[in-house]
Amino acid sequence: MPGGRLTQQERQQIALGLADDLAYAEIARRLDRPTSTVTREVMRNGGPASYRADLAHRATEHRAHRRRRPAPRDPNTPSQALGRDTQAVREYEEVFATVFMQSGLPKMTARVLAALYTTDAGSLTAAELAARLQISPASVSKAIAFLESQGLIRRERDERRRERYVVDEDVLYQSTMASARATAHLGEIARQGVGVLGPGTPAAARLENIARFVDFVSESIARAADQAREILHAKPAPAPDGTT
């Protein structure tokens, strides 16, 4: 299995594989590379819909050039714990952020959310986010405001009265439920159109089908979220001897 960085020819083969709707695993098999290598390559360079071999190659060369001339380390930037590979963590955060971007989040907002999810504490202050991502406090503030408006994070104060931004199971649950409610609202609006356009008309029938579909999806999402919360995050019952 070849090691080292992907070549420009390999990147062209990745682009051709994506154009043919091949799975990452199949593309990796043809290149004799790990699937994770192909996945990371695609996600950090625009995703499957926007991947371009030449742009990806130039971006990689640019990143390599920057690594050869590292900027002075900010003393406030936290070091990686638990023996983690700092570069591997940074690259994974880029992949994670790209996934959030593909779901509609702005780039800086996606980076902030990825940073919060990949920190062991599950929370960071504005200063810690700015240092970790090497961005301005204003950028952090803007991203936090958007994430909070979408229910993707929550605020709390620590023992030093500092404001921290938190992601945890409850935030994910509340965000999922908000998404289900937004989906259900689409069904309500579609059903209003049935009366406006006239029952029995083709347009009304189309809207009724949309409403029924959306009702089913939103109810399924809400039911699944409740079940997951109950099963995955329930505290274990104590044993007869008092242990858990």
Side-chain angles (χ1 to χ4, degrees), residues 54-104:
D54 54 343
L55 296 179
H57 196 70
R58 285 201 294 270
T60 301
E61 290 182 336
H62 179 64
R63 285 191 292 266
H65 179 69
R66 284 192 303 175
R67 291 189 198 116
R68 286 194 293 268
R69 300 173 57 191
R73 180 180 174 82
D74 187 327
N76 295 320
T77 302
S79 59
Q80 289 296 333
L82 306 177
R84 291 171 178 147
D85 183 330
T86 300
Q87 184 59 33
V89 172
R90 185 178 298 116
E91 291 180 355
Y92 175 73
E93 286 184 2
E94 289 182 16
V95 172
F96 208 5
T98 301
V99 173
F100 289 137
M101 288 166 61
Q102 290 178 329
S103 70

Side-chain angles (χ1 to χ4, degrees), residues 175-195:
S175 175
T176 301
M177 295 302 287
S179 175
R181 288 192 293 271
T183 303
H185 183 62
L186 171 60
E188 294 171 4
I189 298 302
R191 190 160 278 116
Q192 289 177 16
V194 174

Side-chain angles (χ1 to χ4, degrees), residues 80-190:
Q80 289 296 333
L82 306 177
R84 291 171 178 147
D85 183 330
T86 300
Q87 184 59 33
V89 172
R90 185 178 298 116
E91 291 180 355
Y92 175 73
E93 286 184 2
E94 289 182 16
V95 172
F96 208 5
T98 301
V99 173
F100 289 137
M101 288 166 61
Q102 290 178 329
S103 70
L105 290 184
K107 181 178 179 179
M108 197 59 67
T109 305
R111 292 187 65 205
V112 168
L113 187 58
L116 286 169
Y117 269 110
T118 54
T119 186
D120 288 310
S123 68
L124 292 168
T125 65
E128 289 169 341
L129 280 165
R132 183 185 180 105
L133 299 174
Q134 295 293 286
I135 59 178
S136 68
S139 296
V140 172
S141 178
K142 183 177 180 180
I144 288 297
F146 181 86
L147 290 170
E148 192 172 29
S149 72
Q150 300 299 307
L152 295 173
I153 64 169
R154 75 167 187 273
R155 298 175 187 242
E156 63 180 30
R157 291 191 179 275
D158 61 18
E159 66 281 357
R160 295 170 57 185
R161 304 302 297 166
R162 297 178 305 177
E163 197 166 64
R164 304 188 70 86
Y165 309 110
V166 182
V167 290
D168 58 14
E169 291 85 357
D170 190 61
V171 167
L172 191 60
Y173 170 80
Q174 297 297 341
S175 175
T176 301
M177 295 302 287
S179 175
R181 288 192 293 271
T183 303
H185 183 62
L186 171 60
E188 294 171 4
I189 298 302

Side-chain angles (χ1 to χ4, degrees), residues 5 8 21-22 35-36 46 61 90 152 187 205 219 239 241:
R5 294 193 184 97
Q8 189 162 15
D21 291 328
L22 297 181
T35 301
S36 59
E61 290 182 336
R90 185 178 298 116
L152 295 173
E219 291 170 6
D241 60 1

